[in-house]
Amino acid sequence: MRKIIASLFISLDGVVEEPAAWHLPYFSDEMGAAVMDSLATADTLLLGRETYDSFAGAWPEREAAGGEDAGLGKALGDARKIVVSRQPLEFTWRNSELLRGDLAEAVTALKNEPGDTHIAVSGSISVVQQLLDAGLLDELRLLVHPIAVRRGRRLFEDGENPIPLTLVSAETFATGVQHLVYRPA
């Protein structure tokens, strides 16, 4: 069974919304390597529409420009991209498709597809929340930034049931960012 691994930038107070507004001062080669590790071992990306729009608006150009991140741009372009949206979309980025049907049923089917590469979720707050609630997320990688953003959408908002997690690894980068990896308890 394939695993679903989600990675998010998060502030000390749990904000995950619009990380471009607060995470860049903390970006480092260590963080870049952690992000690359999450994406490089996946052949499928599961993305919310907003994250997809952001990626599709940047990565094809970076790939075409041939700069230092062109390799990641190519890897992301080559990956299968499944977009979670309630509205029909027109895709301009190769290998992109709309998730059909119920999220939990479709993700369960994805996990049961043959292969040993994982399915990556980058950003996509509502998708991660739904996967956590449904018990379908196999690993949660958080890059915890040493800043209290104080406003914005949080990863763990009010909900019905607790979500017990087990910390499986922790690393602190020179910038003070902590890379925490959790699995369902």
Side-chain angles (χ1 to χ4, degrees):
M1 178 175 277
R2 299 175 72 194
K3 292 183 179 181
I4 297 185
I5 299 174
S7 299
L8 292 146
F9 297 140
I10 187 168
S11 67
L12 280 178
D13 56 347
V15 174
V16 288
E17 184 176 40
E18 297 188 28
W22 47 266
H23 105 93
L24 291 175
Y26 303 99
F27 194 83
S28 67
D29 289 343
E30 291 170 303
M31 185 185 297
V35 171
M36 282 289 292
D37 181 55
S38 292
L39 296 174
T41 55
D43 68 351
T44 303
L45 301 175
L46 183 63
L47 303 168
R49 186 198 47 80
E50 289 179 24
T51 302
Y52 173 82
D53 288 345
S54 173
F55 278 28
W59 285 109
E61 290 176 17
R62 290 180 179 178
E63 178 185 358
E68 66 183 53
D69 56 2
L72 178 56
K74 181 177 178 349
L76 292 172
D78 289 347
R80 178 182 180 195
K81 290 165 285 299
I82 302 171
V83 183
V84 179
S85 178
R86 291 191 178 107
Q87 48 191 288
L89 302 171
E90 285 190 38
F91 296 110
T92 58
W93 197 14
R94 69 183 183 276
N95 301 321
S96 299
E97 62 190 80
L98 186 65
L99 181 125
R100 304 272 182 220
D102 176 75
L103 176 70
E105 289 174 12
V107 168
T108 300
L110 278 173
K111 289 180 72 155
N112 287 319
E113 287 179 354
D116 57 359
T117 56
H118 72 269
I119 300 159
V121 183
S122 183
S124 307
I125 303 164
S126 64
V127 173
V128 173
Q129 290 170 332
Q130 291 174 70
L131 293 173
L132 281 166
D133 285 343
L136 291 170
L137 195 65
D138 297 292
E139 194 168 281
L140 179 62
R141 298 178 182 186
L142 299 175
L143 290 155
V144 183
H145 292 58
I147 184 173
V149 176
R150 302 185 66 187
R151 71 174 110 170
R153 203 159 156 209
R154 288 169 167 70
L155 177 57
F156 300 106
E157 296 175 338
D158 290 346
E160 293 297 315
N161 300 311
I163 301 171
L165 301 168
T166 300
L167 180 67
V168 294
S169 70
E171 178 182 10
T172 302
F173 299 152
T175 60
V177 170
Q178 290 191 311
H179 183 213
L180 306 176
V181 178
Y182 291 94
R183 291 192 183 125

